Amino acid sequence: MDYVHNLINWSDELSTLKMNAKPLHSETGIIFKIKKYALHDGPGIRTTIFLKGCPMVCWWCHNPEGQQRSPQNMPIEGTNHCREEIIGCQASVEQVLAEIEKDVIFYDDSGGGVTFSGGEPLMQAAFLKTLLVKCRQRDIHTAVDTTGYAPTPIMIDTLQPADLILFDLKIMDANDHQRYTGVTNTLIFENLEHLIAMDKRIRIRFPLIPGITDRDANIHRLAKYICRFDGLREIDLLPYHHNADAKYNRLNIPNRLKELQPPSKALVQTVKERFEHYELRVNIGG
Ligand code: SF4
């Protein structure tokens, strides 16, 4: 059984709850997926909770259904767009915690825990912080996978109780970053440096997108930047793939990289070696 693909979509389970009717606050949020037995979202075996909403629109996004903050309809594959499912459900902290706690035995045995991802989980900062605090009270290891694109005071306050930050760095050039993600990168670097100053444990995540992020100049600038900080010695390479193609079709949104070939094994190895040249520990896939 491939545990990584054993996804639990809460849309069905929670569809009886009224969604999007109440304002978001610290006790409820909108999630769009729960992934059990995740092996690439931090150390050990993890449960990954995907929170809806993202300020970016990356060309290579593998979770386009996570970009919109509110729940949305998505046609069901093979039904000629006649039947739809709702992506995103309002869930309480207690509901999410109950789901997380089902797998504590796996976390304990593997050094794992829970990862909050998205979208951008800081879009639901109050909900995220409550979950982080409650996990800490239960001795459950937490990781937050973030773009770093959030108001600095909110990011600092929210991530204080997190054990590990999986921080995405994509493109060093400001114009290219704006072009391929929809936002500039200045705030992202500033926020990363705030987290470093807070002594947070951080792993950098780098999406390997042929022709966009894999350019030599980008990799060398990124590696040199990371090496300025003693606390940053680990980087996860996330190779582009086509697993999200069907979701773009179903959502009827442009899939700009539809024709792009995923990186070859040789390219992945070359990029890995480039980062290793800077004495960075490189994990492929996270
Ligand atoms: S930051 Fe992540 S979730 Fe948001 S658009 Fe980019 S790839 Fe998608």
Side-chain angles (χ1 to χ4, degrees):
M1 181 177 181
D2 185 352
Y3 287 125
V4 178
H5 294 290
N6 180 12
L7 310 182
I8 291 186
N9 190 327
W10 258 19
S11 301
D12 293 339
E13 195 172 326
L14 299 182
S15 60
T16 49
L17 296 174
K18 279 276 171 247
M19 285 168 292
N20 210 19
K22 299 178 199 162
L24 297 179
H25 54 69
S26 63
E27 294 301 323
T28 60
I30 295 182
I31 62 172
F32 66 97
K33 187 164 59 176
I34 294 181
K35 185 162 72 176
K36 298 274 191 166
Y37 314 112
L39 299 175
H40 298 285
D41 295 332
I45 296 174
R46 311 191 71 81
T47 297
T48 304
I49 312 290
F50 293 82
L51 279 69
K52 215 158 171 350
C54 186
M56 297 192 185
V57 278
C58 304
W59 286 25
W60 53 85
C61 184
H62 291 151
N63 290 321
E65 77 279 32
Q67 290 176 2
Q68 183 178 303
R69 169 85 171 257
S70 53
Q72 64 197 116
N73 291 343
M74 185 158 86
I76 295 172
E77 234 176 341
T79 63
N80 211 11
H81 287 221
C82 292
R83 289 180 53 218
E84 295 183 325
E85 63 178 323
I86 298 169
I87 304 298
C89 300
Q90 184 166 292
S92 69
V93 165
E94 293 312 319
Q95 284 173 308
V96 176
L97 282 174
E99 208 52 46
I100 292 168
E101 286 185 311
K102 283 181 189 168
D103 296 322
V104 163
I105 187 166
F106 296 110
Y107 314 149
D108 291 348
D109 287 351
S110 68
V114 59
T115 298
F116 298 100
S117 183
E120 168 50 67
L122 287 167
M123 293 273 288
Q124 300 188 50
F127 180 57
L128 174 63
K129 186 171 179 192
T130 308
L131 285 165
L132 290 170
V133 168
K134 297 222 170 185
C135 286
R136 174 155 282 199
Q137 287 164 354
R138 288 161 172 76
D139 272 335
I140 296 173
H141 182 273
T142 56
V144 178
D145 185 3
T146 179
T147 66
Y149 192 81
T152 303
I154 289 176
M155 182 206 67
I156 289 174
D157 178 60
T158 307
L159 296 186
Q160 197 77 48
D163 294 309
L164 171 67
I165 313 298
L166 305 172
F167 198 102
D168 303 348
L169 284 183
K170 310 170 199 297
I171 300 174
M172 297 301 287
D173 181 85
N175 292 330
D176 282 351
H177 197 279
Q178 170 91 52
R179 176 175 181 214
Y180 291 111
T181 71
V183 304
T184 56
N185 53 12
T186 313
L187 177 64
I188 293 169
F189 295 126
E190 286 173 7
N191 278 345
L192 175 59
E193 290 171 32
H194 279 291
L195 291 173
I196 292 166
M198 287 162 68
D199 268 340
K200 298 306 293 183
R201 203 182 145 225
I202 299 166
R203 256 162 80 164
I204 300 298
R205 307 197 107 194
F206 173 73
L208 175 48
I209 317 297
I212 299 179
T213 66
D214 69 335
R215 295 172 188 161
D216 278 357
N218 189 48
I219 289 171
H220 288 298
R221 270 182 76 184
L222 202 137
K224 277 186 195 156
Y225 173 76
I226 293 172
C227 286
R228 285 172 42 198
F229 307 102
D230 288 342
L232 301 184
R233 282 293 166 266
E234 216 171 339
I235 182 162
D236 296 339
L237 285 192
L238 309 174
Y240 179 73
H241 57 69
H242 279 288
N243 294 356
D245 283 2
K247 291 189 277 191
Y248 279 91
N249 287 339
R250 292 167 66 196
L251 290 166
N252 198 23
I253 56 178
N255 182 0
R256 304 202 218 204
L257 301 185
K258 193 166 63 179
E259 307 300 333
L260 184 71
Q261 288 297 313
S264 63
K265 277 188 183 162
L267 176 58
V268 173
Q269 185 61 24
T270 300
V271 173
K272 179 173 184 275
E273 285 167 12
R274 288 204 174 121
F275 282 118
E276 285 172 343
H277 175 76
Y278 289 87
E279 300 187 353
L280 294 166
R281 265 196 318 280
V282 183
N283 315 296
I284 295 171

